Amino acid sequence: MSKRKQAPTRRPAAKRGKKKEESDIDSDLSDQSENENGPQPDEVLISGHGDALDELTKLPDELLKTLIKPAGQLLIFGQVNWDLTGRKDSKTSKLAFPNLYTPHRFTNLRVRFAASGCVSAHSVIITEEGKALSFGRNQFGQLGTNNTTTVHIPAEIQGMQEMNVISAACGRNHTLLLTDTGTVYACGDNRSGQCGIGNLQPQVLTPKRINYRGPPIIKIGCGADFSVILDAKGGLHSFGLPEYGQLGHNTDGKYFKTSTKLDYNHQTSPKRIVIYIEKSKDGHLTPVDVTEIVDFSCGQNHTVAIDGKKRAFSWGFGGFGRLGHAEPKDEMVPRLIKFFDTQARGLNQIKCGSTYSLAVNDIGAMYMFGRSKRNGEANMYPKPVQDLAGWDVHQIAAGFTSSIVAADESVISWGCSPCFGELGLGDIYKSSHIPKEVNKLAGTKVICLAMGYSHTLLVAHDDTPEQKAKLEALEMYEP
């Protein structure tokens, strides 16, 4: 009798890994991405893109006047040991660069713009002449210096010397730069396509022009591993990691590479966001007609945008209520935040931290939604920040769990422990769960505010002798 064939043994299905807790401090700035990308073919580059014949013309002067700010004195405070930022343990010496608990002057350059990001350990500054310099952690070449060496003193970004840079944005490990021709360049980690150059080249060590052809770009933003750009006609385009729907293209890009290995269809070139929706309580979807977006901000894995009618839309990772929809669901396309869709609540400013969002309405009142503490309760829908009632908030910056605003002629900051000096309140009150005035900056007129994972950059007016004297009284940080 012939032997019966043995049935093939079925392998048990691989256990699904626990969903990565987004606020896990170690993973926030880790060197490894969850999915290592195999080689993928380049996208077909858009015809004519990057040709010598592709003439770049300067944006109209009236528009540039609104985009370019005056220059002033750069201040820094917080954690400046860039190799330690966001990491629980590190072999690097903690004493080499102690935290700066009060605002310090940094560089003698006159600076008109400073950029960092809520999960960034690096920063970019733009001088009065439009030169871009970078400093901080650099393990993926995000500083654009053609190497991966950490930089403590701002160094000029390679290949951008002849250009007039007007803005910059920092992701976890990548950087975008915007010039006065409305052209965007990117460098750093590109394993998820977040540099938008049409391929998945793992590291881009010097800035490359992104693979985009369309109306000139006037604003740029970075999440942890994705990027968003706004064109002059009010169109939003996004690229990079689609994991939580943060690109707004109605997909999280997931697919099974093998029966057990999950991967993502990364968006390696800018793609326009075309659908905006409103969702009723019973889940009914209605498209919303959006003619132009005027402002936006990216958090770690979410984005909030404001349209020409001062309505707010949010999408991406929904945990802790950071999208403002009173439910923690991820949103794959921009969804109208109902709370702000009333006559008296139109928004004119938005800024996203890692797991929360801050919004300022027409009359200068500030709202917060999401969770800004590492533990504790979350605001599932926008709630007014009562301690700022009566203040006219005109600038906001949000970091990993800390926030800072310029209101009237004061600077106000707050953030729960652990803090590293990014609040600028001194080493006695390192953290504060309620907004507190930064005494050393009383009377300072702020041009620009930016926050990294655990550091703050501020550009202050230094036009009058009084302003100069006040700033010169601050200590100088010389790494």
Side-chain angles (χ1 to χ4, degrees), residues 149-277:
T149 312
T150 298
V151 173
H152 292 279
I153 296 164
E156 204 155 345
I157 295 177
Q158 298 294 306
M160 303 295 289
Q161 292 94 330
E162 301 306 309
M163 300 179 200
N164 180 7
V165 181
I166 59 172
S167 187
C170 301
R172 192 199 315 258
N173 293 307
H174 73 291
T175 304
L176 296 186
L177 300 155
L178 175 66
T179 71
D180 66 350
T181 59
T183 314
V184 182
Y185 295 81
C187 58
D189 184 7
N190 187 41
R191 294 175 300 176
S192 300
Q194 60 264 57
C195 284
I197 57 173
N199 59 35
L200 287 171
Q201 176 187 334
Q203 292 181 2
V204 182
L205 297 180
T206 55
K208 272 191 183 174
R209 189 171 163 189
I210 65 167
N211 182 29
Y212 165 82
R213 186 146 184 151
I217 298 303
I218 54 169
K219 185 175 169 74
I220 52 178
C222 294
D225 302 301
F226 71 101
S227 307
V228 180
I229 57 177
L230 173 65
D231 70 41
K233 291 187 175 169
L236 270 187
H237 312 256
S238 60
F239 45 101
L241 180 70
E243 186 177 359
Y244 303 104
Q246 64 265 50
L247 299 186
H249 298 150
N250 204 16
T251 175
D252 58 8
K254 286 183 183 148
Y255 72 95
F256 278 99
K257 205 171 186 177
T258 65
S259 60
T260 54
K261 186 169 170 26
L262 193 65
D263 208 341
Y264 298 91
N265 282 313
H266 301 289
Q267 183 62 42
T268 61
S269 292
K271 181 179 174 184
R272 181 153 180 183
I273 295 171
V274 289
I275 306 167
Y276 293 81
I277 61 153

Side-chain angles (χ1 to χ4, degrees), residues 277-279 288 295 302-315 321-326 335-352 356-370 379-385 396:
I277 61 153
E278 182 177 343
K279 196 186 272 187
V288 179
D295 195 12
H302 76 290
T303 307
V304 184
I306 301 171
D307 78 348
K309 293 178 181 169
K310 300 191 174 182
R311 299 176 295 188
F313 296 83
S314 61
W315 62 99
R322 75 196 78 180
L323 300 182
H325 301 308
R335 176 182 169 187
L336 182 73
I337 302 177
K338 286 269 184 46
F339 182 87
F340 296 118
D341 190 28
T342 61
Q343 218 48 49
R345 289 187 182 148
L347 287 192
N348 64 10
Q349 244 194 105
I350 186 76
K351 189 61 76 173
C352 297
Y356 62 101
S357 310
L358 298 169
V360 178
N361 72 2
D362 275 352
I363 54 171
M366 188 173 199
Y367 293 85
M368 180 269 193
F369 40 108
N379 287 356
M380 295 307 291
Y381 58 89
K383 288 184 184 167
V385 181
I396 331 168

